[in-house]
Amino acid sequence: ELKLSHEGEALFPPVNITEQEAGYVLELSAPGFEKPDFKVNLDGNMLTISTEKKEEKQEEAGKLIRREFSHKAFKRSFTIDEKIDAEKINARYENGILKLDLPKKETAKPEAKQITIQ
């Protein structure tokens, strides 16, 4: 199971979590960042996604009347269970969405066995 941890109650940035047969897909909407801004860390069963966005002051020719675009640093944490294969987690960032694939471990299926009668 993949769930938000209690310290990750913040609703920014918004997250979609989808469970599929092969694993979970976590999509985090964070436009305006660059790939190097993200830090994805797995410590035990705690998956943390954070950013460090340095605000660069730029000399602008025009006077800013209203500012709604904001690329604040954030941190979201998720608790994953032992069914997720931590070694195979991968992340990519495209079109403002950070997408993590969290595959489930392959469960060893018991093999059918022919028993020879002696």
Side-chain angles (χ1 to χ4, degrees):
E1 192 180 10
L2 174 67
K3 58 185 182 221
L4 289 170
S5 73
H6 293 295
E7 62 182 278
E9 292 294 335
L11 295 176
F12 179 82
V15 170
N16 288 343
I17 300 172
T18 311
E19 182 175 6
Q20 299 174 342
E21 197 173 327
Y24 297 91
V25 177
L26 188 152
E27 294 174 304
L28 189 137
S29 176
F33 289 91
E34 303 288 330
K35 283 181 193 178
D37 295 334
F38 292 99
K39 190 173 165 192
V40 180
N41 188 42
L42 183 63
D43 185 7
N45 68 341
M46 185 69 68
L47 178 71
T48 303
I49 301 168
S50 59
T51 60
E52 288 179 11
K53 183 74 173 174
K54 293 172 180 66
E55 291 290 327
E56 292 177 14
K57 295 205 181 332
Q58 295 178 343
E59 294 296 320
E60 295 181 30
K63 181 181 167 195
L64 188 65
I65 304 298
R66 185 180 180 100
R67 186 183 194 114
E68 291 188 346
F69 285 14
S70 169
H71 307 304
K72 295 183 190 127
F74 65 81
K75 180 177 176 183
R76 301 275 325 241
S77 296
F78 307 87
T79 306
I80 63 173
D81 67 16
E82 66 282 349
K83 291 189 197 106
I84 291 171
D85 192 340
E87 298 294 316
K88 294 184 180 167
I89 293 173
N90 72 64
R92 61 192 175 280
Y93 180 64
E94 50 194 31
N95 302 324
I97 305 285
L98 180 67
K99 188 173 181 178
L100 275 75
D101 291 312
L102 300 112
K104 293 177 186 171
K105 287 179 182 167
E106 291 181 30
T107 51
K109 295 178 183 155
E111 291 181 29
K113 188 175 172 187
Q114 182 72 39
I115 301 192
T116 307
I117 300 168
Q118 298 183 359

